[in-house]
Amino acid sequence: MTELGVGSGTFAPQEEQDEGATAAERLLRAVEALDASADAQLPEYLVAHDTFEAIWRDEVSFLFAPAGGGKSAFRARLAQACRAGEGGRRVFPIVYMLPESVVLAGESERLDAHLREIRRAAASELFLHLAHRPYEFLDLDDAAKQTVRRLLEQSLPQPLDHLLEQLGPYGGLNPEARLRALAEPYDPGAVWLNPPSEESLAKFRTAVAETPLSKPAEAPRDSLEPWLNLLLSTLHFEAVYLLVDGVDAYPETISNPGYALALIKPLLDQAGRWRERRLFVKAFLPIETKSAIQQAYPLLTSRKNTVIIRWTRSLLAELLRRRVAAATGTEPASLDMISEPGFRGVDLRVVNAVEPLPREVLAFTSRMLHEMQQRTGGTGRLSREDFEAALRWYRRDRHRERS
Amino acid sequence: MSRGKAPTETKTREPLGIAAFGSLRAEDEPWLAQCYVKPPDFALMTCWRSILVFGDEGAGKTALGLALERAWAPPGQPPKALVVRWPFAIVEDESLKGTRLVVAYRDQVLDAVARAVVDYVLRFPPDWGQLPPWVGRTLAWFLQRFLRGDLKDHLESLWGKFGEQSPGWLRNALAGPVPDVVSPSAPPSEVAGEIIKALKALGLEGIRVIVDNLEAWHEADPTLLTDHLESFLNALTEFWHPRFVYAFMAPSELDSKDWSAGSVSRRRVDVYRLEWRAMDLEAMMERRLALAFGEESFPLSKLGPAERLMNWLSRCGGQSPRGWLRMLAPFVVRFLNKAAETGQMTPLTEEECIAIQSESAPRLSIDPMTDAVFVGWRKVSDIQPADLELLKYLYQRRGELCPRWAVLREYLSITGQLFRADDPKSERLLDQPIYRLKQAIEPDPDHPVFIKTVRGRGYRLDNAW
């Protein structure tokens, strides 16, 4: 990649300016979605490492943040750490977005609804995990293979045969793209390193399809025990993390955060017992629920188990710089590198202009890049004019919300 | 002004005449694509993001919806995405609240998606032999599960439309047994994901749902619509998929709602206001004129004195495309008549334009609740409080001759001044407020169409509702 003159005080000639515009376009595409949890580049730019370290350990964790404050980003980051085996660890993540069926269930049915949906999410994760790591399935003995197949058959949201078919070639998509399409409904940002070859994926398909169904085990269907046995004993994961998110995604919980506690109470009631079985609840919750949860669960929510995300301007500027670096492949990076010579300190200008939340920073940046595209047809550099236009948009946008 | 240039075409078009200014309903204008001017944020609106576009009546919401549809499904080409027109209908079951209400709306959406799938398969029959079997099975399952109404009715309708030519796959999909592709109790995001996977295998990028009939529901029950729309938007996460997005065209009255909670503040949904700059509106008029006269371009100056016309349009049409089109139409009619009489297309003169302005004056109205003053489609915002009171006095007596002394007495009362018979200045106290009012409300203060001075007698407010 061509050096764009960041920090060197020089500015690129025409060819490099073109490359700068390309970097801007790449960045615009990257920040367009505004949804960090669906962003495969997340680990490259999510800062606040102490927050991550606090939840990346075998303990029940509560992470509280305001809307737009990065709850889902940290949830996605944790899931990616598990999938990538960061630190040489082998942790099985279950991405558990509070499902509609739990919201619709009566109080007495809520725990069963949770368990059913957790098994469903676990099955999706396991299917995707094994499809990415076929040898883990192929190396199992017959009894273990049968157990895997039975649990998948019982809990996957789709028929297993249907999913196996989708692993096969279609539409000119390579194995990675087909697996990404399979993962999207479960966890849109999910990334597994080193996707399998066409050949090993085909072997996995055949092996699963040829595995006979075993008789159901004796454990009650409404428990997680068969799953924990499989994951911890048979597949040798050292722990299972249940990543609870999406609690504030319903009309009921948006208007009444207290109701959110009622919905996840059955999970929190089990959290102590599950911890003994190395299943650790990791709850990513709106800040509005914090006091109610701390009051109801004082032991679970001890100081070391609770993280509150607090964004400072300098942290946000760092996040923005890393976002630029991840999108453009340039290190170190800054919005300055795609800005006009007379317009400097853009990262700080952006974070000082908006509410101190990652989503707001990215929304403002996206708008500013769009203004530049409109003004220059996409070949120019960010200018003060683009910043001012984005600022007008932002102020009006915020004003509308609060008026 | 590059956005103002008419689309380049090599051949002269068949002139539409005044029909180009006739219906003013986007859905009735098949030529709209030829003269459409995109709003400034159009490129952003076409991203894979859900959007909520607020616009006044006549601001071009329907035209925008059609333009978005053209961007995603260009006419005559295979679409890039499955474009779904959701005929939104208020769920009137009062027992449904919160998530249950959202589920009811989602059923409407999925029914609309199913209908769009049927339409797509009919228009672009897939080569099923080249596709893996799960694609057809997924689509068939989706139709059987989410197409509302009696499947037999749908089948009969297909037979009625296509007879023996009715595609066999579709007949089988609607009639034959299909296994569940997604468990009935699975989260809705799995449903979205499954149908999108199948659509991707057909070469589509995802699903774009357009909603453009909220105005009628807003007129019927604004509170209910606002509450239900908010619930639906707030629950988008649950039915969220990066390739399943919505474009809501909403009346601007909804913009006054506090959207500080939920999907809007969380930026799950991007909000836009459909507002037009004068240069955009001018470009729209010029493109319409080009269509009307069958020419590649037709600047306003070919119709008449451009400055006068622009002044008239901006002072009577506000920021509304419909307003500008309506206010320009009488000039086009006169221009056509004149061309027919003389056999030449010569621009209208100043005098002719002034005459048209007088004959086709917009209406002045005052909202009794808010005191907002409207001239045609323009909301007048620069009237001083005392002048507004004076205008209201005249408005209450619109069409009547108001004696000068009575108007003066009213104005003195409004401003708390005393009339002094010995002071000749008192006689002239009305001159300034009447002048200011004319400057504020008259399209052309030198040729007033609202405040008429009847020499030696008083004032009359004309063309007011």
Side-chain angles (χ1 to χ4, degrees), chain A residues 32-35 100 103-104 120 157-159 162 165-166 170 182 184-185 188 248-250 252 254 359-360 363 367 370 374 394 396-398 400-401, chain B residues 40-41 44 47 49 98-100 103 106 132 134 137-138 180-183 185 190 193-194 197 200 234 238 240-241 255 258 265-268 271 275:
Chain A
E32 216 161 53
L34 293 180
D35 194 328
E100 188 175 276
V103 182
L104 295 177
R120 204 189 314 268
Q158 295 92 352
H162 181 72
E165 257 187 281
Q166 293 180 11
Y170 69 90
L182 273 172
E184 255 179 358
D248 51 353
Y250 295 90
E252 290 87 345
I254 286 174
R359 190 179 291 161
E360 297 306 299
R367 183 72 199 196
H370 171 71
Q374 288 282 96
Y394 188 79
R396 208 172 63 152
D397 194 55
R398 293 283 101 174
R400 175 188 46 69
E401 250 178 45
Chain B
D41 286 334
L44 278 177
C47 295
R49 302 264 309 152
T99 300
R100 289 184 197 283
V103 171
R106 205 166 54 220
W134 65 265
R137 196 168 62 236
T138 301
D180 265 340
V181 161
V182 175
S183 153
S185 63
E190 295 285 353
E194 209 54 39
K197 266 187 282 181
K200 280 186 174 176
N234 285 349
E238 170 59 12
W240 184 77
H241 187 287
D255 195 13
D258 174 15
S265 72
R266 287 155 201 236
R267 300 197 183 280
R268 286 270 180 212
V271 174
E275 292 171 336

Coordinates of all heavy atoms in Angstrom, one line a residue, chain A residues 32-35 100 103-104 120 157-159 162 165-166 170 182 184-185 188 248-250 252 254 359-360 363 367 370 374 394 396-398 400-401, chain B residues 40-41 44 47 49 98-100 103 106 132 134 137-138 180-183 185 190 193-194 197 200 234 238 240-241 255 258 265-268 271 275:
Chain A
E32 N -20.5 2.2 7.1 CA -21.8 2.4 6.6 C -22.8 1.6 7.5 O -23.9 2.1 7.8 CB -21.9 1.9 5.2 CG -22.9 2.7 4.3 CD -22.6 2.4 2.9 OE1 -22.5 1.2 2.5 OE2 -22.4 3.4 2.1
A33 N -22.5 0.4 7.8 CA -23.4 -0.5 8.5 C -23.6 0.0 10.0 O -24.7 -0.3 10.5 CB -23.0 -1.9 8.5
L34 N -22.7 0.6 10.6 CA -22.8 1.1 11.9 C -23.0 0.0 13.0 O -23.3 0.3 14.1 CB -23.9 2.1 12.0 CG -23.8 3.4 11.3 CD1 -25.0 4.3 11.5 CD2 -22.6 4.2 11.8
D35 N -23.0 -1.2 12.5 CA -23.3 -2.3 13.5 C -22.1 -3.1 13.7 O -21.7 -4.0 13.0 CB -24.4 -3.1 12.9 CG -25.0 -4.0 14.0 OD1 -24.2 -4.4 14.9 OD2 -26.2 -4.3 14.0
E100 N -37.6 -13.8 20.9 CA -39.0 -13.4 21.0 C -39.8 -14.4 21.8 O -40.7 -13.9 22.5 CB -39.5 -13.3 19.5 CG -40.9 -12.7 19.4 CD -41.2 -12.5 17.9 OE1 -40.8 -11.6 17.3 OE2 -41.9 -13.4 17.4
V103 N -39.9 -13.5 25.3 CA -40.7 -12.3 25.6 C -42.2 -12.7 25.6 O -43.0 -12.2 26.4 CB -40.4 -11.2 24.6 CG1 -41.2 -9.9 24.9 CG2 -38.9 -10.9 24.5
L104 N -42.6 -13.6 24.7 CA -44.0 -13.9 24.6 C -44.4 -15.0 25.6 O -45.6 -15.2 25.9 CB -44.3 -14.4 23.2 CG -44.1 -13.4 22.0 CD1 -44.3 -14.1 20.7 CD2 -45.0 -12.2 22.2
R120 N -30.9 -24.2 21.0 CA -30.9 -23.9 19.6 C -29.6 -23.1 19.1 O -29.0 -23.4 18.1 CB -32.2 -23.1 19.2 CG -32.6 -23.2 17.8 CD -33.7 -22.3 17.4 NE -34.8 -22.2 18.2 CZ -35.9 -22.9 18.2 NH1 -36.0 -23.8 17.3 NH2 -37.0 -22.6 19.0
P157 N -32.3 -25.0 14.3 CA -33.5 -24.4 13.9 C -34.0 -24.9 12.5 O -35.2 -24.8 12.2 CB -33.2 -22.9 13.8 CG -31.7 -22.8 13.9 CD -31.2 -24.0 14.5
Q158 N -33.1 -25.4 11.8 CA -33.4 -26.0 10.5 C -33.1 -27.5 10.5 O -32.3 -28.0 11.3 CB -32.6 -25.4 9.3 CG -32.8 -23.9 9.1 CD -31.8 -23.1 9.9 OE1 -31.1 -23.6 10.7 NE2 -31.9 -21.8 9.7
P159 N -33.7 -28.3 9.6 CA -33.4 -29.7 9.5 C -31.9 -29.9 9.2 O -31.4 -29.1 8.3 CB -34.3 -30.2 8.4 CG -35.4 -29.3 8.3 CD -34.8 -27.9 8.7
H162 N -31.0 -30.3 5.6 CA -31.1 -29.0 4.8 C -29.9 -28.2 4.9 O -29.4 -27.7 3.9 CB -32.4 -28.3 5.4 CG -32.7 -27.0 4.7 ND1 -33.2 -26.9 3.4 CD2 -32.5 -25.7 5.1 CE1 -33.4 -25.7 3.1 NE2 -33.0 -24.9 4.1
E165 N -27.0 -29.8 3.0 CA -27.1 -29.5 1.6 C -26.5 -28.1 1.3 O -25.9 -27.9 0.2 CB -28.6 -29.4 1.2 CG -29.1 -30.7 0.5 CD -30.5 -30.5 0.0 OE1 -31.4 -30.6 0.8 OE2 -30.7 -30.1 -1.2
Q166 N -26.8 -27.2 2.2 CA -26.3 -25.8 1.9 C -24.8 -25.7 2.1 O -24.2 -24.7 1.7 CB -27.0 -24.8 2.9 CG -28.4 -24.7 2.6 CD -29.1 -23.7 3.5 OE1 -28.5 -23.0 4.3 NE2 -30.5 -23.7 3.5
Y170 N -22.9 -24.0 -4.5 CA -24.0 -23.4 -5.2 C -23.6 -21.9 -5.5 O -22.8 -21.3 -4.8 CB -25.3 -23.4 -4.5 CG -25.4 -22.6 -3.2 CD1 -25.8 -21.2 -3.2 CD2 -25.0 -23.1 -2.0 CE1 -25.8 -20.5 -2.1 CE2 -25.1 -22.3 -0.8 CZ -25.5 -21.0 -0.9 OH -25.5 -20.2 0.2
L182 N -24.5 -19.2 6.0 CA -25.1 -20.1 7.0 C -25.1 -19.4 8.4 O -26.0 -19.6 9.2 CB -24.4 -21.4 7.1 CG -24.8 -22.5 6.1 CD1 -23.9 -23.7 6.2 CD2 -26.2 -23.0 6.5
E184 N -25.0 -16.2 9.0 CA -25.7 -14.8 9.1 C -26.9 -14.8 10.0 O -27.0 -13.9 10.8 CB -26.0 -14.3 7.7 CG -25.1 -13.3 7.3 CD -25.4 -12.7 5.9 OE1 -26.3 -13.2 5.2 OE2 -24.6 -11.8 5.5
P185 N -27.9 -15.7 9.9 CA -29.1 -15.6 10.7 C -28.7 -15.8 12.2 O -29.4 -15.2 13.1 CB -30.0 -16.7 10.3 CG -29.4 -17.2 9.0 CD -27.9 -16.8 9.0
P188 N -24.4 -12.5 12.5 CA -23.9 -11.9 11.3 C -22.5 -11.6 11.2 O -21.9 -11.6 10.2 CB -24.8 -10.7 11.1 CG -26.0 -10.9 12.0 CD -25.5 -11.8 13.1
D248 N -32.6 -5.3 25.2 CA -33.4 -4.1 25.0 C -33.9 -3.9 23.6 O -34.0 -2.8 23.0 CB -32.5 -2.9 25.4 CG -31.2 -2.9 24.7 OD1 -30.9 -3.9 24.0 OD2 -30.4 -1.9 24.8
A249 N -34.2 -5.1 22.9 CA -34.6 -5.0 21.5 C -36.1 -5.1 21.4 O -36.6 -5.3 20.2 CB -33.9 -6.1 20.8
Y250 N -36.9 -5.0 22.4 CA -38.3 -5.2 22.3 C -39.1 -4.0 22.9 O -38.6 -3.3 23.7 CB -38.7 -6.5 23.2 CG -38.1 -7.7 22.6 CD1 -36.9 -8.2 23.0 CD2 -38.8 -8.4 21.6 CE1 -36.3 -9.3 22.4 CE2 -38.2 -9.5 21.0 CZ -37.0 -10.0 21.4 OH -36.4 -11.1 20.9
E252 N -41.4 -3.9 24.8 CA -41.6 -4.0 26.3 C -40.4 -3.6 27.1 O -40.5 -2.9 28.1 CB -42.0 -5.4 26.7 CG -43.3 -5.9 26.2 CD -43.2 -6.5 24.8 OE1 -42.2 -6.2 24.0 OE2 -44.2 -7.2 24.3
I254 N -37.8 -1.7 26.0 CA -37.3 -0.4 25.7 C -38.1 0.6 26.6 O -37.5 1.5 27.2 CB -37.5 0.0 24.2 CG1 -36.5 -0.7 23.4 CG2 -37.4 1.5 24.0 CD1 -36.7 -0.6 21.9
R359 N -21.0 4.5 18.4 CA -22.0 4.6 17.3 C -22.1 6.0 16.7 O -22.2 6.2 15.5 CB -23.3 4.0 17.8 CG -24.3 3.8 16.6 CD -25.6 3.3 17.2 NE -25.5 1.9 17.7 CZ -26.4 1.3 18.5 NH1 -27.4 2.0 18.9 NH2 -26.2 0.1 18.9
E360 N -22.1 7.0 17.6 CA -22.2 8.3 17.2 C -21.0 8.8 16.4 O -21.1 9.5 15.4 CB -22.5 9.3 18.4 CG -23.7 9.0 19.1 CD -25.0 9.0 18.2 OE1 -25.3 10.0 17.7 OE2 -25.6 7.9 18.1
A363 N -21.3 7.2 13.0 CA -22.3 7.8 12.2 C -21.9 9.1 11.6 O -22.1 9.4 10.5 CB -23.6 8.0 13.1
R367 N -21.2 10.1 7.7 CA -21.9 11.3 7.1 C -20.9 12.2 6.4 O -21.0 12.7 5.3 CB -22.7 12.0 8.1 CG -23.5 13.2 7.6 CD -24.6 12.7 6.8 NE -25.1 13.7 5.9 CZ -26.3 13.7 5.3 NH1 -27.1 12.6 5.5 NH2 -26.7 14.6 4.5
H370 N -19.7 10.7 3.3 CA -20.7 10.9 2.3 C -20.7 12.3 1.7 O -20.8 12.5 0.5 CB -22.1 10.5 2.9 CG -23.2 10.8 2.0 ND1 -23.5 10.1 0.8 CD2 -24.1 11.8 2.0 CE1 -24.5 10.6 0.2 NE2 -25.0 11.6 0.9
Q374 N -20.2 13.3 -2.2 CA -21.2 14.2 -2.9 C -20.5 15.4 -3.5 O -20.8 15.8 -4.6 CB -22.3 14.7 -1.9 CG -23.3 13.7 -1.5 CD -24.3 13.4 -2.5 OE1 -24.2 12.4 -3.3 NE2 -25.3 14.2 -2.6
Y394 N -25.7 16.5 11.9 CA -25.7 15.8 13.2 C -26.6 16.7 14.2 O -27.4 16.1 14.9 CB -24.3 15.7 13.7 CG -24.3 14.8 15.0 CD1 -24.3 13.5 14.9 CD2 -24.2 15.4 16.2 CE1 -24.3 12.7 16.1 CE2 -24.1 14.7 17.4 CZ -24.2 13.3 17.3 OH -24.2 12.5 18.4
R396 N -28.9 18.7 13.6 CA -30.4 18.7 13.3 C -30.9 17.3 13.6 O -32.0 17.2 14.2 CB -30.5 18.9 11.8 CG -31.8 19.6 11.4 CD -31.9 20.0 10.0 NE -31.8 18.8 9.1 CZ -32.3 18.7 7.9 NH1 -32.9 19.8 7.4 NH2 -32.2 17.7 7.2
D397 N -30.1 16.3 13.4 CA -30.6 14.9 13.7 C -30.8 14.8 15.2 O -31.9 14.3 15.6 CB -29.5 14.0 13.2 CG -29.9 12.6 13.2 OD1 -30.9 12.3 12.5 OD2 -29.3 11.7 13.8
R398 N -29.9 15.2 16.0 CA -30.0 15.1 17.4 C -31.2 16.0 17.9 O -31.9 15.6 18.8 CB -28.7 15.5 18.1 CG -27.6 14.6 17.9 CD -27.7 13.3 18.7 NE -28.2 12.2 17.9 CZ -28.3 11.0 18.3 NH1 -28.0 10.7 19.5 NH2 -28.8 10.0 17.6
R400 N -33.8 16.8 16.3 CA -35.1 16.2 16.0 C -35.5 15.2 17.0 O -36.6 15.1 17.5 CB -35.0 15.6 14.6 CG -36.2 14.8 14.2 CD -36.0 14.0 12.9 NE -34.7 13.3 12.9 CZ -34.5 12.2 13.7 NH1 -35.4 11.8 14.5 NH2 -33.3 11.6 13.6
E401 N -34.5 14.4 17.4 CA -34.8 13.3 18.4 C -35.2 13.9 19.7 O -36.1 13.3 20.4 CB -33.5 12.6 18.7 CG -33.5 11.2 18.1 CD -32.2 10.5 18.4 OE1 -31.7 10.6 19.5 OE2 -31.7 9.9 17.4
Chain B
P40 N -30.8 15.1 -2.2 CA -29.3 15.1 -2.0 C -28.8 13.8 -1.3 O -27.7 13.4 -1.6 CB -29.1 16.3 -1.0 CG -30.3 17.2 -1.3 CD -31.4 16.3 -1.7
D41 N -29.6 13.2 -0.5 CA -29.1 12.0 0.2 C -29.5 10.7 -0.5 O -29.4 9.6 0.2 CB -29.6 12.0 1.7 CG -28.9 13.0 2.5 OD1 -27.7 13.3 2.2 OD2 -29.5 13.5 3.5
L44 N -27.2 7.7 -0.1 CA -27.2 7.1 1.3 C -28.4 6.2 1.4 O -28.4 5.2 2.1 CB -27.2 8.2 2.3 CG -25.8 8.8 2.7 CD1 -26.0 9.9 3.7 CD2 -24.9 7.7 3.3
C47 N -28.3 2.5 0.4 CA -27.4 1.6 1.1 C -28.3 0.5 1.8 O -29.5 0.6 1.9 CB -26.6 2.3 2.2 SG -25.5 3.5 1.6
R49 N -29.5 -0.2 4.5 CA -29.9 0.3 5.8 C -31.4 0.6 5.8 O -31.9 0.9 4.7 CB -29.2 1.7 6.1 CG -27.7 1.7 6.0 CD -27.1 1.5 7.4 NE -27.6 2.5 8.4 CZ -27.6 2.2 9.7 NH1 -27.2 1.1 10.1 NH2 -28.1 3.1 10.5
G98 N -47.3 -4.5 22.3 CA -45.8 -4.8 22.3 C -45.4 -5.8 21.2 O -45.7 -5.6 20.0
T99 N -44.7 -6.8 21.7 CA -44.2 -7.8 20.7 C -45.3 -8.5 20.0 O -45.1 -8.8 18.8 CB -43.3 -8.8 21.5 OG1 -42.2 -8.0 22.1 CG2 -42.6 -9.8 20.6
R100 N -46.4 -8.8 20.6 CA -47.5 -9.5 19.9 C -48.0 -8.6 18.7 O -48.3 -9.1 17.7 CB -48.6 -9.8 20.8 CG -48.3 -10.9 21.8 CD -49.4 -11.3 22.7 NE -48.8 -12.1 23.8 CZ -48.4 -13.3 23.8 NH1 -48.5 -14.0 22.6 NH2 -47.9 -13.9 24.8
V103 N -45.5 -8.9 16.0 CA -45.6 -10.2 15.2 C -46.7 -10.1 14.2 O -46.6 -10.5 13.1 CB -46.0 -11.3 16.2 CG1 -46.3 -12.6 15.5 CG2 -44.8 -11.6 17.2
R106 N -45.4 -8.2 11.4 CA -44.4 -9.0 10.6 C -45.1 -10.0 9.7 O -44.6 -10.3 8.6 CB -43.5 -9.7 11.6 CG -42.1 -10.1 11.0 CD -41.2 -10.4 12.1 NE -41.7 -11.5 12.9 CZ -41.5 -11.6 14.2 NH1 -40.9 -10.6 14.9 NH2 -42.0 -12.6 14.9
P132 N -29.3 -25.9 -6.6 CA -29.5 -27.0 -5.6 C -30.9 -27.1 -5.1 O -31.6 -26.1 -5.0 CB -28.5 -26.6 -4.5 CG -28.2 -25.2 -4.6 CD -28.5 -24.8 -6.1
W134 N -32.3 -27.4 -2.4 CA -32.8 -26.7 -1.2 C -33.3 -25.3 -1.5 O -34.1 -24.8 -0.7 CB -31.7 -26.7 -0.1 CG -30.5 -25.9 -0.5 CD1 -29.3 -26.3 -1.0 CD2 -30.3 -24.4 -0.4 NE1 -28.4 -25.3 -1.2 CE2 -29.0 -24.1 -0.8 CE3 -31.1 -23.4 0.1 CZ2 -28.5 -22.8 -0.9 CZ3 -30.6 -22.1 0.1 CH2 -29.3 -21.8 -0.4
R137 N -36.9 -25.8 -2.4 CA -37.6 -26.2 -1.2 C -37.9 -25.1 -0.3 O -38.9 -24.9 0.3 CB -36.8 -27.4 -0.6 CG -37.6 -28.2 0.4 CD -36.8 -29.5 0.8 NE -35.5 -29.2 1.4 CZ -34.3 -29.6 1.0 NH1 -34.3 -30.3 -0.1 NH2 -33.2 -29.3 1.6
T138 N -36.8 -24.3 -0.1 CA -36.9 -23.1 0.8 C -38.0 -22.2 0.4 O -38.8 -21.7 1.1 CB -35.6 -22.4 1.0 OG1 -34.6 -23.3 1.4 CG2 -35.7 -21.2 1.9
D180 N -40.9 -28.6 6.7 CA -40.5 -27.4 7.3 C -39.0 -27.2 7.1 O -38.2 -28.1 7.2 CB -40.7 -27.5 8.8 CG -42.0 -26.8 9.2 OD1 -42.5 -26.0 8.4 OD2 -42.5 -27.2 10.3
V181 N -38.6 -26.0 6.7 CA -37.2 -25.6 6.4 C -36.7 -24.9 7.7 O -35.5 -25.0 8.0 CB -37.1 -24.8 5.2 CG1 -35.8 -24.0 5.1 CG2 -37.3 -25.6 3.9
V182 N -37.6 -24.2 8.3 CA -37.2 -23.6 9.6 C -38.2 -24.1 10.6 O -39.4 -24.0 10.3 CB -37.1 -22.1 9.5 CG1 -36.9 -21.5 10.9 CG2 -36.1 -21.6 8.6
S183 N -37.8 -24.5 11.8 CA -38.7 -24.9 12.8 C -39.7 -23.8 13.1 O -39.4 -22.6 13.2 CB -37.9 -25.3 14.1 OG -38.7 -25.1 15.2
S185 N -41.0 -22.8 15.7 CA -40.7 -22.1 16.9 C -39.4 -21.3 16.8 O -39.0 -20.7 17.8 CB -40.7 -23.0 18.1 OG -39.7 -23.9 18.0
E190 N -34.1 -16.4 11.9 CA -33.8 -17.6 11.2 C -34.6 -17.6 9.9 O -34.2 -18.1 8.8 CB -34.0 -18.8 12.0 CG -33.1 -18.9 13.2 CD -31.7 -19.4 12.9 OE1 -31.4 -19.7 11.7 OE2 -30.8 -19.3 13.8
G193 N -33.1 -15.2 7.5 CA -31.9 -15.7 7.0 C -32.1 -16.8 6.0 O -31.4 -16.8 5.0
E194 N -33.1 -17.6 6.2 CA -33.3 -18.8 5.3 C -33.8 -18.3 3.9 O -33.3 -18.7 2.9 CB -34.3 -19.7 5.9 CG -34.1 -21.1 5.6 CD -32.7 -21.7 5.8 OE1 -32.1 -21.4 6.8 OE2 -32.3 -22.5 4.9
K197 N -31.0 -16.5 2.0 CA -30.0 -17.5 1.5 C -30.5 -18.0 0.1 O -29.8 -18.1 -0.9 CB -29.8 -18.7 2.4 CG -28.6 -18.5 3.3 CD -28.4 -19.8 4.1 CE -29.4 -19.9 5.3 NZ -29.2 -21.1 6.1
K200 N -30.4 -15.3 -2.5 CA -29.0 -15.1 -2.9 C -28.6 -16.1 -3.9 O -27.9 -15.8 -4.9 CB -28.0 -15.1 -1.7 CG -28.0 -13.8 -0.9 CD -26.9 -13.9 0.1 CE -26.8 -12.5 0.8 NZ -25.9 -12.5 1.9
N234 N -39.0 -0.3 16.7 CA -38.2 -0.7 17.8 C -37.9 -2.2 17.9 O -36.9 -2.6 18.6 CB -38.9 -0.3 19.1 CG -38.8 1.2 19.3 OD1 -38.1 1.9 18.6 ND2 -39.6 1.8 20.3
E238 N -35.0 -7.8 16.3 CA -35.4 -9.2 16.5 C -35.6 -9.8 15.1 O -35.4 -11.0 14.9 CB -36.7 -9.3 17.3 CG -37.4 -10.6 17.3 CD -36.5 -11.7 17.9 OE1 -35.5 -11.4 18.4 OE2 -36.9 -12.9 17.7
W240 N -33.9 -8.8 12.5 CA -32.9 -8.1 11.8 C -32.0 -9.1 11.0 O -31.6 -10.1 11.4 CB -32.1 -7.3 12.8 CG -31.1 -6.5 12.1 CD1 -31.3 -5.3 11.5 CD2 -29.7 -6.7 12.0 NE1 -30.1 -4.8 11.0 CE2 -29.1 -5.7 11.3 CE3 -28.8 -7.8 12.4 CZ2 -27.8 -5.6 11.0 CZ3 -27.5 -7.7 12.1 CH2 -27.0 -6.6 11.4
H241 N -31.7 -8.6 9.8 CA -30.7 -9.3 9.0 C -30.1 -8.2 8.1 O -30.8 -7.3 7.7 CB -31.5 -10.3 8.1 CG -30.5 -11.2 7.3 ND1 -29.8 -10.7 6.2 CD2 -30.2 -12.5 7.5 CE1 -29.0 -11.7 5.8 NE2 -29.2 -12.8 6.5
D255 N -42.8 13.4 12.2 CA -41.5 13.8 12.6 C -41.5 14.5 13.9 O -40.4 14.7 14.6 CB -40.9 14.7 11.5 CG -39.4 14.9 11.6 OD1 -38.8 14.2 12.4 OD2 -38.9 15.8 10.9
D258 N -41.4 12.2 19.5 CA -40.1 12.0 20.2 C -39.6 10.6 19.9 O -40.1 9.6 20.3 CB -40.3 12.1 21.7 CG -39.0 11.8 22.5 OD1 -37.9 11.7 21.9 OD2 -39.1 11.6 23.7
S265 N -32.9 6.2 17.6 CA -31.7 6.7 18.3 C -30.6 5.7 18.3 O -29.4 6.0 18.4 CB -32.1 7.1 19.8 OG -32.3 5.9 20.5
R266 N -30.9 4.4 18.2 CA -29.9 3.4 18.1 C -29.3 3.3 16.7 O -28.5 2.4 16.4 CB -30.4 2.0 18.5 CG -30.7 2.0 20.0 CD -31.7 0.9 20.3 NE -32.3 1.3 21.6 CZ -32.3 0.4 22.6 NH1 -31.9 -0.8 22.5 NH2 -32.8 0.8 23.8
R267 N -29.8 4.1 15.8 CA -29.4 4.1 14.4 C -29.5 2.8 13.7 O -28.8 2.4 12.8 CB -27.9 4.6 14.3 CG -27.7 6.0 14.9 CD -26.5 6.6 14.5 NE -26.3 7.9 15.1 CZ -26.9 9.0 14.7 NH1 -27.6 9.0 13.6 NH2 -26.7 10.2 15.3
R268 N -30.6 2.0 14.1 CA -31.0 0.9 13.3 C -31.7 1.4 12.1 O -31.8 0.7 11.1 CB -31.9 0.0 14.1 CG -31.3 -0.8 15.2 CD -30.8 -2.1 14.6 NE -30.2 -2.9 15.7 CZ -29.2 -3.7 15.5 NH1 -28.7 -3.9 14.3 NH2 -28.6 -4.4 16.4
V271 N -32.9 8.4 9.6 CA -34.0 9.3 9.3 C -33.6 10.3 8.3 O -32.5 10.9 8.4 CB -34.5 9.9 10.6 CG1 -35.6 11.0 10.4 CG2 -35.0 8.8 11.6
E275 N -36.6 17.3 1.8 CA -36.6 18.7 1.6 C -35.9 19.0 0.4 O -34.8 18.4 0.1 CB -36.0 19.4 2.8 CG -36.8 19.3 4.1 CD -36.1 19.8 5.3 OE1 -34.9 19.9 5.3 OE2 -36.8 20.1 6.3

